């Protein structure tokens, strides 16, 4: 059976360099944790770094960068749209606290 | 051309090329990964809102041993992604023994991650943490979110170890090829990607 890995994918040296880069980002996350930021600010920074890490891993480790663009455009915008909608609809559930039924 | 060959040739003509230029198993694992990503995202979103919305949330994790243990687990899981890439590289270069060696290292690293994870759980359970019990007096939701999120991830890690072992055994018997190594590798990298969110959100956000 023909190989399915894209031929222009990176070599092991490049993967090791990416691995070191990802570990550095984890180090930055730990450093930020002990900067005593407010919890919402810390959450924002950690999410930004987590998305950067995930993007690097998906594009290079999972080879999405080397697939046809149609695969990327079919998968990633749909996922981001779902995450965006979750982000907008989850806080709506907080209204329940103010709509709580009073039991007599 | 025989009659049967003629029929098959007709079917070939009806077959459309994949718009993505990949095998169906690879498209299948990508679609699975996408749906699984939404599952993890939903529980992480729920946790995130509860965590930020609570004024008396418990932050019990000391730098040592919990955060250090989490950093070691991150190191191990990220390393296992690189060894999985080594297995794929070897399979692509038609070097089965090297591929099997890399798959073996990946399984060992995955097992080490699971052992570190379970050790962390046992330590917390020993301190009195339960799904709905907080021994230090904060919201009981801490245990519920921590054990459910990390438990779901640990389940994925264990499933990944089993999947890699199955592919490795079949690869050794020449019943699978590099496309199967790549498919199981995609799943393994996804488990790694999920941990990139679990470690900062569940461990670092709850550091003392």
């Amino acid at each position: 059976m023909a190989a399915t890995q894209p031929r222009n994918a990176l070599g092991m040296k490049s993967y090791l360099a990416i691995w070191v880069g990802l570990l550095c980002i984890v180090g930055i996350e730990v450093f930020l944790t002990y900067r005593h930021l407010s919890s919402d600010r810390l959450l924002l920074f950690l999410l930004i770094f987590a998305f950067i890490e995930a993007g690097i891993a998906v594009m290079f480790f999972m080879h999405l960068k080397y697939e046809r663009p149609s695969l990327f455009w079919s998968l990633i915008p749909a996922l981001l749209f779902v995450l965006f909608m979750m982000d907008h609809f989850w806080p709506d559930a907080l209204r329940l606290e103010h709509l709580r039924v009073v039991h007599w | 051309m025989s009659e049967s060959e003629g029929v098959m040739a007709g079917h070939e003509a009806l077959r459309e090329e994949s718009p993505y230029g990949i095998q169906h198993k690879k498209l299948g694992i990508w679609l699975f990964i996408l749906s699984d990503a939404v599952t993890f995202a939903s529980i992480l979103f729920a946790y995130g809102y509860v965590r930020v919305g609570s004024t008396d949330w418990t932050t019990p994790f000391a730098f040592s041993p919990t955060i250090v243990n989490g950093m070691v687990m991150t190191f191990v899981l990220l390393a296992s992604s690189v060894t999985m890439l080594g297995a794929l590289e070897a399979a692509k270069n038609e070097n089965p023994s090297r591929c099997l060696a890399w798959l073996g290292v990946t399984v060992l690293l995955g097992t080490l991650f699971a052992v570190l994870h379970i050790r962390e759980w046992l330590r917390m359970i020993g301190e009195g943490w339960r799904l709905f019990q907080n021994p230090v007096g904060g919201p009981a939701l801490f245990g519920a979110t921590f054990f459910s999120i990390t438990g779901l991830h640990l389940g994925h890690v264990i499933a990944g170890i089993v999947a890699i072992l199955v592919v490795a055994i079949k690869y050794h018997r020449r019943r699978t090829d590099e496309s199967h190594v790549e498919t199981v590798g995609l799943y393994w990298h996804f488990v790694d990607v999920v941990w990139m969110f679990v470690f900062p959100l569940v461990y670092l956000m709850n550091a003392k």
Side-chain angles (χ1 to χ4, degrees):
Chain A
M1 195 180 288
T4 56
Q5 190 192 14
R7 289 295 171 191
N8 52 351
L10 299 171
M12 284 305 286
K13 279 185 183 173
S14 303
Y15 291 136
L16 280 172
I18 292 169
W19 177 63
V20 172
L22 291 173
L23 290 175
C24 289
I25 294 176
V26 174
I28 293 169
E29 288 177 340
V30 175
F31 173 76
L32 281 175
T33 302
Y34 291 97
R35 296 297 294 172
H36 302 295
L37 304 169
S38 63
S39 61
D40 50 351
R41 206 170 168 78
L42 178 62
L43 177 64
L44 176 70
F45 284 131
L46 292 180
L47 272 176
I48 289 171
F49 280 109
F51 271 106
I52 292 170
E53 276 185 290
I56 291 169
V58 169
M59 297 306 274
F60 295 102
F61 283 4
M62 297 172 83
H63 299 135
L64 193 57
K65 183 177 165 64
Y66 305 103
E67 300 291 354
R68 285 188 188 174
S70 58
L71 185 64
F72 175 91
W73 290 111
S74 297
L75 299 176
I76 303 304
L79 178 63
L80 292 179
F81 176 74
V82 172
L83 297 182
F84 178 79
M85 295 305 281
M86 269 188 200
D87 187 49
H88 276 63
F89 282 111
W90 270 114
D92 200 46
L94 297 177
R95 281 189 311 120
L96 286 174
E97 290 202 10
H98 307 290
L99 297 175
R100 189 173 293 160
V101 176
V102 178
H103 297 285
W104 298 97
Chain B
M1 184 186 291
S2 70
E3 189 178 341
S4 61
E5 283 174 333
V7 170
M8 289 310 293
H11 285 186
E12 286 292 333
L14 288 172
R15 214 177 273 168
E16 287 184 17
E17 190 204 355
S18 163
Y20 306 113
I22 56 176
Q23 291 182 345
H24 64 275
K25 65 168 89 71
K26 193 168 167 183
L27 180 60
I29 197 71
W30 268 113
L31 293 176
F32 169 77
I33 285 170
L34 209 66
S35 59
D36 217 17
V38 172
T39 304
F40 274 105
S42 62
I43 58 170
L44 285 172
F45 263 115
Y47 158 75
Y49 279 110
V50 170
R51 167 70 181 84
V52 176
S54 303
T55 51
D56 60 341
W57 190 259
T58 315
T59 52
F61 294 146
F63 182 72
S64 179
T66 310
I67 301 298
V68 171
N69 189 56
M71 288 165 70
V72 173
M73 286 161 69
T74 307
F75 179 87
V76 168
L77 201 60
L78 279 172
S80 75
S81 260
V82 178
T83 57
M84 179 52 91
L85 287 163
L88 179 59
E89 185 92 350
K92 193 180 71 175
N93 294 330
E94 294 171 6
N95 191 341
S97 57
R98 200 174 179 84
C99 174
L100 287 170
W102 280 121
L103 287 175
V105 175
T106 307
V107 167
L108 282 178
L109 289 171
T111 307
L112 177 61
F113 176 90
V115 167
L116 288 170
H117 209 150
I118 291 167
R119 191 186 66 160
E120 180 71 28
W121 269 30
L122 292 176
R123 190 185 61 75
M124 288 183 68
I125 290 168
E127 289 174 0
W129 293 97
R130 299 286 187 278
L131 259 181
F132 299 106
Q133 191 176 312
N134 185 339
V136 294
L141 269 176
F142 179 88
T145 52
F146 176 81
F147 285 116
S148 57
I149 293 171
T150 57
L152 187 64
H153 182 263
L154 181 60
H156 278 70
V157 170
I158 293 168
I161 292 168
V162 173
I164 294 169
L165 277 174
V166 169
V167 167
I169 291 166
K170 289 193 171 187
Y171 187 77
H172 179 64
R173 294 174 182 168
R174 303 284 192 272
R175 289 174 62 189
T176 54
D177 55 34
E178 70 269 26
S179 68
H180 296 88
V181 176
E182 184 183 23
T183 306
V184 78
L186 282 173
Y187 173 80
W188 191 251
H189 298 311
F190 167 70
V191 170
D192 197 357
V193 167
V194 171
W195 183 252
M196 290 169 186
F197 288 90
V198 172
F199 176 62
L201 298 186
V202 178
Y203 283 82
L204 296 182
M205 283 292 293
N206 295 316
K208 273 182 188 170

